[in-house]
Amino acid sequence: MKILRIKDVTETTGLCRSQIYSLMETGAFPQSIKLGARSVGWVDTEVENWIKSKVVARDLQHPSGQAATVG
């Protein structure tokens, strides 16, 4: 298990910091864990599972395995 800091989470997910905290508030993103007085982190497997759930949701919407094209 590895702990990711906010920079790692934003790079991994493509989300900005405010989006991450906004999603956390609604329960739609893994909760951070307190590491110290002024630092938090996220469990890497929880973030990875969140990403995988997004892929599964996409594949359920588009069973052919191809994302819908715009245009």
Side-chain angles (χ1 to χ4, degrees), residues 11-29:
E11 289 175 359
T12 301
T13 62
L15 299 172
C16 70
R17 178 185 179 107
S18 61
Q19 287 175 305
I20 290 167
Y21 283 103
S22 202
L23 289 170
M24 282 175 49
E25 284 181 21
T26 64
F29 194 80

Side-chain angles (χ1 to χ4, degrees), residues 8 19 46 59:
D8 300 319
Q19 287 175 305
E46 292 177 359
D59 291 348

Side-chain angles (χ1 to χ4, degrees), residues 2-69:
K2 184 177 174 183
I3 301 298
L4 303 174
R5 300 299 297 266
I6 188 68
K7 180 181 177 191
D8 300 319
V9 177
T10 58
E11 289 175 359
T12 301
T13 62
L15 299 172
C16 70
R17 178 185 179 107
S18 61
Q19 287 175 305
I20 290 167
Y21 283 103
S22 202
L23 289 170
M24 282 175 49
E25 284 181 21
T26 64
F29 194 80
Q31 295 297 307
S32 60
I33 56 172
K34 193 165 185 72
L35 301 174
R38 297 181 58 191
S39 62
V40 297
W42 287 261
V43 178
D44 64 339
T45 54
E46 292 177 359
V47 174
E48 289 171 13
N49 289 338
W50 180 83
I51 293 169
K52 288 176 186 176
S53 75
K54 295 297 181 186
V55 172
V56 168
R58 178 209 55 199
D59 291 348
L60 289 174
Q61 287 184 321
H62 306 285
S64 66
Q66 298 176 351
T69 56

